[in-house]
Amino acid sequence: MFTGLIQAIGTVSHASNYELSVSWDTHQYPTMSEGIALGDSIAVDGVCLTVMQIVQNGFVAAVSPETVSRTTLSEGQIGTCPVNLESSLRVGSKVGGHFVTGHIDGVGYFESAIQTATSWEMSFKVPDARIARYIVPKGSISINGISLTVADCNPSGSWFKVAVIPVTYYDTNLQFLKTGSVVNLEGDVLGKYVEKFMRIRPSASTSDNLSEDELLEGNSIPSPMMQSYDNASITSSFLEEHGYS
């Protein structure tokens, strides 16, 4: 588990087939090297990787074919841009961003950046609807492992904009993005669980008539709680009775 607050900028190179070498300037980022041990989890551009071998100024990690296919850690992307690094959250540490799992949903594409008096307004395109569905106004989004807030988006979530403050812009690899650059995206895990719990498992007869894609898209019957109450019955008294005060 991570928080989306970047601790260092590093580089990635191939060590061997499905093994990557990750390194950083230990003089510039001395705290990044403190306490790293075999088996630790480190987010590399938002991708959770496990330390297999500790080397000078970094570590070696393995990547699965699934990780390569879903992220920027593919052969064509490695080395095109520095990577953001964050060690895993420790018990008792502050959660300054939001809960980031390091399990990338897929990639998006950088569109443009406009500098304002207080920030950079950066926009991105999301061609995959399975990712776009979790992008909502004022919701949390992880871009290359950075915890950011969606400032604006279209109804489908296929386009969105974030406002990036100077310290985040200059301390991460957002400063190196060019139009069309590929970025790793992870939607807010809490939103995914809410979506899951708002559904119930269809009966055997119902599920037999639904395709796998329809089941993943949630095309099942609403939950009993949602069936039991309409908008008119959800009042202030109802919310207080159910723990919302």
Side-chain angles (χ1 to χ4, degrees):
M1 184 70 72
F2 308 90
T3 69
L5 300 184
I6 304 305
Q7 297 170 308
I9 299 177
T11 58
V12 174
S13 60
H14 284 285
S16 63
N17 289 337
Y18 292 108
E19 287 189 356
L20 300 178
S21 177
V22 183
S23 61
W24 57 90
D25 186 333
T26 55
H27 296 290
Q28 185 177 3
Y29 305 108
T31 58
M32 188 66 208
S33 304
E34 294 176 357
I36 290 183
L38 295 178
D40 281 357
S41 296
I42 296 180
V44 178
D45 257 2
V47 184
C48 179
L49 298 180
T50 302
V51 176
M52 294 176 50
Q53 179 184 355
I54 298 174
V55 296
Q56 185 177 12
N57 301 336
F59 66 95
V60 174
V63 289
S64 68
E66 171 74 3
T67 297
V68 170
S69 67
R70 279 184 176 266
T71 73
T72 59
L73 298 182
S74 58
E75 184 173 355
Q77 294 295 324
I78 288 178
T80 60
C81 183
V83 293
N84 298 320
L85 303 172
E86 181 192 357
S87 56
S88 58
L89 180 65
R90 287 170 168 77
V91 175
S93 299
K94 292 182 179 180
V95 182
H98 72 281
F99 288 121
V100 178
T101 66
H103 302 154
I104 302 300
D105 295 313
V107 298
Y109 298 89
F110 173 63
E111 185 177 57
S112 65
I114 300 174
Q115 186 175 3
T116 69
T118 58
S119 65
W120 277 261
E121 293 183 352
M122 308 185 74
S123 59
F124 298 83
K125 292 181 179 179
V126 188
D128 192 335
R130 292 173 297 180
I131 307 170
R133 65 193 295 177
Y134 299 117
I135 297 175
V136 297
K138 308 306 178 186
S140 295
I141 182 75
S142 169
I143 303 176
N144 281 352
I146 308 163
S147 173
L148 294 166
T149 301
V150 176
D152 190 18
C153 65
N154 62 5
S156 67
S158 62
W159 173 91
F160 72 96
K161 180 172 65 176
V162 294
V164 181
I165 61 175
V167 66
T168 301
Y169 185 82
Y170 288 118
D171 288 350
T172 69
N173 65 6
L174 292 181
Q175 62 183 301
F176 303 114
L177 297 182
K178 300 177 182 179
T179 300
S181 290
V182 186
V183 295
N184 293 321
L185 298 176
E186 180 190 332
D188 188 357
V189 66
L190 299 180
K192 298 172 186 176
Y193 280 118
V194 168
E195 180 190 52
K196 180 73 173 182
F197 294 147
M198 290 294 287
R199 305 187 226 121
I200 63 169
R201 183 175 299 172
S203 64
S205 59
T206 303
S207 61
D208 288 343
N209 296 323
L210 295 176
S211 68
E212 180 179 356
D213 287 341
E214 288 175 323
L215 288 172
L216 289 173
E217 290 298 320
N219 293 329
S220 57
I221 60 174
S223 67
M225 181 175 180
M226 296 304 293
Q227 288 180 315
S228 301
Y229 303 103
D230 56 26
N231 291 337
S233 64
I234 301 179
T235 63
S236 298
S237 299
F238 172 87
L239 293 175
E240 291 179 4
E241 181 182 347
H242 289 80
Y244 297 89
S245 56

